[in-house]
Amino acid sequence: MEANVPKRKEPAKSLRIKVISMGNAEVGKSCIIKRYCEKRFVSKYLATIGIDYGVTKVQVRDREIKVNIFDMAGHPFFYEVRNEFYKDTQGVILVYDVGQKDSFDALDSWLAEMKQELGPHGNMDNIIFVVCANKIDCTKHRCIDESEGRLWAESKGFLYFETSAQTGEGINEMFQTFYVSIVDLCDNGGKRPTANNSASFTKEQADTIRRIRNSKDSWDMLGVRPGASREEVNKAYRKLAVLLHPDKCVAPGSEDAFKAVVNARTALLRNIK
Ligand code: GTP
Ligand code: MG
């Protein structure tokens, strides 16, 4: 009489995953991991020598996950030690210091190093990356704002969190979302679920926002030559307005970029006969 036997719920299979940390020396990789695993902060800088390895267990939904964490040294000196640890990774914690522009600019070279080590058959599309904009407690020294960091991360389909290993802000949320995404990836046969695969804005929008942010004057911002006519200015403005209008564009920083373009056009038209 099968129908009367209550079905016992099968325990979900436990899972073992590998995550690594990446980013320049001194950005706070080890402190982020320590804050999460040991609930403490060490203010003295103790550079990681090569690799620090640790194992931790976490609960995601009804699953027990065993996490192998390889905390890498950021200093170039340790390249040869860390390069063999890139393989068979499901998740990467990619960290920069919001007060150190170099560490933000270096994110691309960290991805390049990983890609090179994985070789021609390595596939970075099926790894979960979380970008940590760390040391947000140091507000005075901040030089990379949230929209710039988020734009970089989200245009690559990466998660983005603002964190402080010192205060703990953002750390638990970051790890929780990171682990849930990795479990979803594993449940999807090791492939990133398609919904998480791409940004909700185009590369053209992201590149335009970056270009506007770095433009040197109003002409440059609108992408016209100095001394351009009213018609040329208006034409360039309309093109940018369509691309970046807040109703159409959800890319981080698009509202500020749109405002800057409106102001640039107004300033230029005021002076063109
Ligand atoms: P390497 O191991 O050399 O690659 O460096 P790392 O990225 O692991 O840096 P680590 O975690 O050792 O931190 C470097 C320094 O930054 C230490 O002095 C930390 O105390 C400090 N630090 C880390 N996170 C934070 C943070 O969120 N806020 C502040 N104010 N300081 C932090
Ligand atoms: Mg370290």
Side-chain angles (χ1 to χ4, degrees):
M1 291 285 149
E2 284 251 306
N4 292 333
V5 180
K7 271 204 179 128
R8 208 170 334 128
K9 207 177 156 210
E10 285 292 319
K13 261 194 9 212
S14 68
L15 198 63
R16 184 189 279 258
I17 61 171
K18 174 184 168 186
V19 306
I20 61 174
S21 68
M22 273 165 37
N24 278 9
E26 244 179 289
V27 294
K29 300 179 292 299
S30 303
C31 285
I32 287 174
I33 294 168
K34 210 165 266 156
R35 165 61 75 188
Y36 183 70
C37 296
E38 299 172 23
K39 313 274 176 267
R40 67 191 179 99
F41 175 70
V42 183
S43 59
K44 187 166 183 271
Y45 174 42
L46 298 164
T48 302
I49 308 296
I51 293 277
D52 261 351
Y53 169 69
V55 188
T56 182
K57 278 184 185 158
V58 294
Q59 197 80 21
V60 174
R61 298 191 279 259
D62 56 347
R63 281 294 245 310
E64 183 169 275
I65 318 293
K66 193 169 176 187
V67 187
N68 293 289
I69 304 184
F70 293 80
D71 176 24
M72 296 205 184
H75 198 283
F77 181 77
F78 295 111
Y79 166 67
E80 286 194 353
V81 183
R82 64 175 180 256
N83 64 6
E84 64 194 82
F85 291 94
Y86 283 115
K87 293 198 175 71
D88 304 320
T89 295
Q90 282 83 42
V92 175
I93 304 168
L94 188 54
V95 185
Y96 68 93
D97 173 347
V98 296
Q100 292 286 339
K101 189 171 183 309
D102 286 359
S103 72
F104 177 68
D105 293 341
L107 295 179
D108 283 309
S109 54
W110 281 101
L111 294 181
E113 180 175 306
M114 180 170 194
K115 196 170 180 344
Q116 183 187 318
E117 292 314 315
L118 292 182
H121 302 299
N123 186 355
M124 307 234 309
D125 292 341
N126 292 319
I127 296 173
I128 302 295
F129 283 85
V130 62
V131 175
C132 293
N134 194 40
K135 305 199 189 183
I136 56 165
D137 55 286
C138 301
T139 45
K140 264 197 202 146
H141 302 113
R142 184 159 189 164
C143 59
I144 306 293
D145 67 19
E146 177 174 354
S147 61
E148 193 172 0
R150 195 178 276 285
L151 183 67
W152 186 89
E154 292 184 0
S155 60
K156 292 187 155 47
F158 297 172
L159 299 166
Y160 172 88
F161 280 85
E162 301 245 303
T163 59
S164 165
Q166 188 186 66
T167 65
E169 198 179 337
I171 303 287
N172 283 346
E173 297 87 327
M174 181 275 286
F175 273 103
Q176 195 57 29
T177 308
F178 182 51
Y179 289 142
V180 166
S181 302
I182 293 176
V183 171
D184 288 346
L185 171 112
C186 295
D187 288 347
N188 197 41
K191 289 208 161 85
R192 255 208 273 186
T194 39
N196 307 339
N197 236 347
S198 54
S200 44
F201 47 88
T202 64
K203 182 171 182 311
E204 187 186 9
Q205 287 171 326
D207 289 346
T208 304
I209 292 168
R210 270 186 218 111
R211 191 187 60 71
I212 288 169
R213 200 190 278 276
N214 295 327
S215 57
K216 57 181 192 296
D217 56 29
S218 299
W219 305 109
D220 192 29
M221 187 176 288
L222 288 182
V224 295
R225 64 182 168 84
S229 66
R230 292 182 86 84
E231 228 172 46
E232 286 169 311
V233 168
N234 281 327
K235 193 172 162 204
Y237 165 76
R238 275 194 296 273
K239 197 170 162 225
L240 290 170
V242 169
L243 194 67
L244 300 175
H245 196 282
D247 288 350
K248 300 258 169 57
C249 182
V250 295
S254 58
E255 275 187 25
D256 285 345
F258 181 72
K259 271 188 223 150
V261 165
V262 170
N263 291 341
R265 177 209 193 199
T266 311
L268 291 179
L269 291 184
R270 210 180 283 139
N271 294 316
I272 301 174
K273 300 258 160 46

